[in-house]
């Protein structure tokens, strides 16, 4: 933004200090005039007066004191002005020193370096609160930039892998024309499908991170039933019992994104389960004005230190890797986490002591309208 040049904050503070000090001196002299000089007599200096038989010798009158007092007043005011300017300049420089450090940190961040921190010492005041807030902002920006760079590098690697496989298959077919074309086409189809799924997952993840969606009333219980119905054939194929329970649980958000979130959770719970005889339980409920979705499954024990890595993009825990046709692209729980965050909710992953994982999603609930009988009902 183009602005006209003006006085610096230091100069404004200096002039303000000097003006205040000069005004205080002028007020002090005015008080002296009002309460001291006005009581002096106007008679001739050194005159002798007789009152009630007593002799009163009067000293200098008001005019004499004014002639002697005026130069001293002018000198005092000039001294106060100079002293106020110098003192104000020094005080302003000391008070504005924190702003200089904050401005330097801002310029450093603008040049691309987010690692610099102000770390201002001293007791809390307005400047130090501003510095602490700026340091917090820099930490968040640095973390987000690092996450974006890591995500871009991982996405590039993941997208390059199917393309490299496709090129290898095509080169092999070109060098060996007698090779079975049906097998080649099937493998190319599998690789291409994986690349498409990865691209769609990346687009969905970007959409959820931006929060660019229309919010509308959504019933989590209906979403859970729809996701379970879609994945029921997969559960039956793996001989896993899929159970959906709960009550009407309403929230506000994107029905498509929430459906993808629940589908990812249920699919992960089915895929990462016991080989035979596993269970998956999906439960919805209202709790303290929040809409809660719980997805719990059986499975192999999962170390608690590995749980935080599950929501990172392309971070696959060794114990949860699948090599069949339902192997994911490493974005399942990352998409879940992004969708929950975009809907101002929370995601909690807890390993079960007997094996498997308990996933709890809390989304803001909608208020309950009063029923005719006086009790609250869901709208």
């Amino acid at each position: 933004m183009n602005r006209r040049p003006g006085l610096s904050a230091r100069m404004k503070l200096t002039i303000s200090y000097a003006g205040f000090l000069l005004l205080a001196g002028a007020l002090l002299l005015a008080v002296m005039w009002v309460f001291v000089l006005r009581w002096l007599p106007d008679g001739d200096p050194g005159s002798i007066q007789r009152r009630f038989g007593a002799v009163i010798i009067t000293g200098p009158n008001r005019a004499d004191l004014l002639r002697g007092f005026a130069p001293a007043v002018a000198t005092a005011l000039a001294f106060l002005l100079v002293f106020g300017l110098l003192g104000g300049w020094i005080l302003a420089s000391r008070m504005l020193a924190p702003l200089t450090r904050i401005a330097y940190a801002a310029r450093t961040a603008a040049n691309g370096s987010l690692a610099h921190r102000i770390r201002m010492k001293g007791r809390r005041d307005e400047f130090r609160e501003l510095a602490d807030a700026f340091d917090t902002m820099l930490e968040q920006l640095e973390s987000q930039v690092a996450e974006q760079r890591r995500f871009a590098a991982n996405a590039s690697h993941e997208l390059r892998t199917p393309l490299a496989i496709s090129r290898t298959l095509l080169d092999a077919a070109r060098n060996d024309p007698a090779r079975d074309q049906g097998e080649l086409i099937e493998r190319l189809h599998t690789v291409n499908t994986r690349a498409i799924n990865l691209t769609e997952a990346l687009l969905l993840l970007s959409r959820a991170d931006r929060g660019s969606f229309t919010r509308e009333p959504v019933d989590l219980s209906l979403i859970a039933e729809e996701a379970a119905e879609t994945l029921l054939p997969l559960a039956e194929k793996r001989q896993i019992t899929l159970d959906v329970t709960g009550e009407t649980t309403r929230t506000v958000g994107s029905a498509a994104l929430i459906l993808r979130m629940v589908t990812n959770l249920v699919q992960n719970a089915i895929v990462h389960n016991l080989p035979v005889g596993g269970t998956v339980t999906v439960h919805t409920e209202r709790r303290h004005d929040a809409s809660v979705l719980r997805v719990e499954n059986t499975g192999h024990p999962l170390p608690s230190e590995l749980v935080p890595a599950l929501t990172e993009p392309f971070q696959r825990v060794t114990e949860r890797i699948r090599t069949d046709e339902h192997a994911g692209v490493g974005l399942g729980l990352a998409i879940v986490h992004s969708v929950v965050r975009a809907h101002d909710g929370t995601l909690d992953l807890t390993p079960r002591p007997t094996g498997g994982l308990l996933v709890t999603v809390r989304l803001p609930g909608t208020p309950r309208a009063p029923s005719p009988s006086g009790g609250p009902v869901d709208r």
Side-chain angles (χ1 to χ4, degrees):
M1 180 181 297
N2 294 326
R3 302 180 187 271
R4 292 182 298 174
L7 295 177
S8 63
R10 186 178 184 183
M11 181 59 68
K12 291 179 181 179
L13 286 176
T14 299
I15 295 176
S16 300
Y17 294 152
F20 181 79
L21 188 59
L22 188 62
L23 178 62
L27 290 176
L28 179 60
L29 295 176
V31 170
M32 293 180 61
W33 166 260
V34 172
F35 291 98
V36 177
L37 294 181
R38 72 172 184 169
W39 297 105
L40 293 177
D42 293 330
D44 295 332
S47 60
I48 300 177
Q49 300 179 3
R50 296 180 180 272
R51 296 182 181 179
F52 306 103
V55 178
I56 301 176
I57 302 177
T58 60
N61 61 9
R62 186 185 303 173
D64 292 334
L65 288 178
L66 285 177
R67 285 192 296 270
F69 190 56
V73 169
T75 303
L77 290 178
F79 172 77
L80 289 176
L81 178 60
V82 175
F83 181 77
L85 289 173
L86 293 177
W89 183 262
I90 296 173
L91 290 176
S93 63
R94 291 180 60 86
M95 299 224 15
L96 295 179
L99 290 182
T100 303
R101 296 179 58 182
I102 296 174
Y104 173 77
R107 286 192 297 268
T108 303
N111 292 331
S113 176
L114 299 177
H116 178 74
R117 299 290 183 272
I118 302 173
R119 294 190 177 90
M120 191 173 296
K121 298 180 180 179
R123 296 188 177 183
R124 185 176 61 183
D125 57 12
E126 289 81 357
F127 290 126
R128 283 159 181 80
E129 288 183 354
L130 177 61
D132 293 341
F134 197 83
D135 283 344
T136 302
M137 181 189 68
L138 288 178
E139 290 178 1
Q140 294 178 352
L141 286 176
E142 185 180 20
S143 175
Q144 291 178 0
V145 169
E147 182 179 352
Q148 290 295 329
R149 289 176 179 174
R150 184 172 63 252
F151 176 79
N154 291 334
S156 300
H157 174 74
E158 294 290 334
L159 287 171
R160 184 177 57 184
T161 300
L163 295 177
I165 295 175
S166 299
R167 185 178 62 180
T168 302
L169 292 174
L170 292 174
D171 291 340
R174 183 175 56 184
N175 297 330
D176 186 10
R179 187 172 182 176
D180 185 8
Q181 298 298 322
E183 180 185 359
L184 174 64
I185 293 175
E186 184 64 26
R187 295 185 63 181
L188 284 175
H189 179 269
T190 302
V191 174
N192 188 54
T193 301
R194 177 177 173 81
I196 292 175
N197 292 337
L198 176 59
T199 304
E200 291 179 349
L202 290 173
L203 292 175
L204 182 63
L205 184 61
S206 175
R207 179 188 173 193
D209 287 337
R210 292 197 310 267
S212 56
F213 53 84
T214 303
R215 296 179 181 268
E216 57 184 357
V218 178
D219 188 350
L220 276 180
S221 61
L222 296 180
I223 294 291
E225 291 177 0
E226 182 178 354
E229 183 179 356
T230 302
L231 295 171
L232 183 59
L234 176 63
E236 293 177 346
K237 179 181 178 181
R238 295 174 177 270
Q239 301 180 11
I240 292 177
T241 302
L242 179 57
D243 189 17
V244 180
T245 62
E247 59 183 358
T248 300
T249 308
R250 299 187 182 275
T251 185
V252 177
S254 170
L257 289 179
I258 294 178
L259 176 60
R260 183 59 182 268
M261 174 195 73
V262 179
T263 302
N264 283 3
L265 288 176
V266 177
Q267 182 175 353
N268 281 349
I270 294 174
V271 172
H272 304 289
N273 211 308
L274 296 175
V276 178
T279 61
V280 174
T281 303
V282 183
H283 180 75
T284 58
E285 65 178 357
R286 291 182 60 95
R287 184 186 303 171
H288 304 298
D289 295 331
S291 299
V292 179
L293 169 72
R294 293 204 314 268
V295 179
E296 185 175 7
N297 71 321
T298 55
H300 300 289
L302 184 64
S304 57
E305 61 271 13
L306 298 180
V307 172
L310 296 178
T311 57
E312 293 293 328
F314 307 109
Q315 298 296 319
R316 300 181 180 88
V317 181
T318 304
E319 291 81 353
R320 293 172 60 87
I321 291 179
R322 302 294 300 205
T323 57
D324 54 17
E325 69 275 10
H326 293 283
V329 296
L331 292 174
L333 288 179
I335 292 176
V336 171
H337 183 251
S338 295
V339 171
V340 172
R341 184 172 52 187
H343 287 79
D344 302 322
T346 59
L347 175 65
D348 183 36
L349 306 179
T350 305
R352 301 173 69 247
T354 57
L357 191 67
L358 171 62
V359 181
T360 305
V361 176
R362 292 180 177 86
L363 299 178
T366 57
R368 296 186 178 184
S371 65
S373 60
V377 296
D378 289 325
R379 290 188 296 179

